């Protein structure tokens, strides 16, 4: 039996009782963070296009989408950096990755 500190444990490792198993490896979290960042970049490109074509009425109707996408964007990058830090701490103590 191995005792992990909270920092060594990283992101949540269990499924939380859901139907879909969550992504909790650093590689998977990095992929999701990059994917969400690309989507947000596309949304920013949309703002630039609205500004260039003087279609601010569209932005006035969809501004809330940018706020909604910020939460998963920050959550994805925070989860990735948390898991990377946990991997480095586990490697320094030569601990295996926790399974649950």
């Amino acid at each position: 039996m191995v005792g992990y500190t909270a920092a060594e444990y990283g992101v949540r490792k269990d499924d939380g009782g859901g139907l879909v198993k969550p992504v909790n490896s650093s590689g998977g979290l990095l992929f999701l963070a990059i994917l969400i960042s690309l989507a947000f970049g596309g949304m920013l490109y949309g703002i630039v296009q609205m500004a260039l074509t003087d279609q601010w009425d569209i932005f006035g109707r969809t501004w809330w989408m940018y706020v909604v996408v910020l939460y998963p964007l920050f959550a994805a990058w925070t989860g990735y950096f948390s898991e990377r830090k946990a991997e480095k701490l586990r490697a320094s103590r030569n601990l295996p990755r926790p399974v649950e």
Side-chain angles (χ1 to χ4, degrees):
M1 197 162 226
V2 178
Y4 295 96
T5 65
E8 290 171 339
Y9 190 73
V11 296
R12 186 175 175 169
K13 302 292 190 264
D14 64 347
D15 63 357
L19 296 174
V20 178
K21 188 171 175 141
V23 175
N24 55 22
S25 67
S26 64
L29 291 170
L30 177 63
F31 173 75
L32 290 177
I34 291 173
L35 188 66
I36 293 170
S37 296
L38 288 173
F40 192 72
M43 291 175 73
L44 293 178
Y45 175 75
I47 289 177
V48 170
Q49 289 302 314
M50 283 183 258
L52 292 176
T53 58
D54 199 30
Q55 297 177 343
W56 289 105
D57 59 317
I58 296 172
F59 182 70
R61 289 178 280 165
T62 59
W63 66 269
W64 59 271
M65 292 173 35
Y66 297 92
V67 176
V68 170
V69 171
L70 279 176
Y71 177 74
L73 179 69
F74 289 132
W77 284 107
T78 301
Y80 167 71
F81 288 123
S82 172
E83 186 60 27
R84 282 296 296 153
K85 179 181 175 186
E87 282 181 352
K88 289 178 183 179
L89 290 172
R90 287 192 303 260
S92 70
R93 286 187 50 198
N94 201 21
L95 295 174
R97 184 173 187 268
V99 291
E100 287 189 16

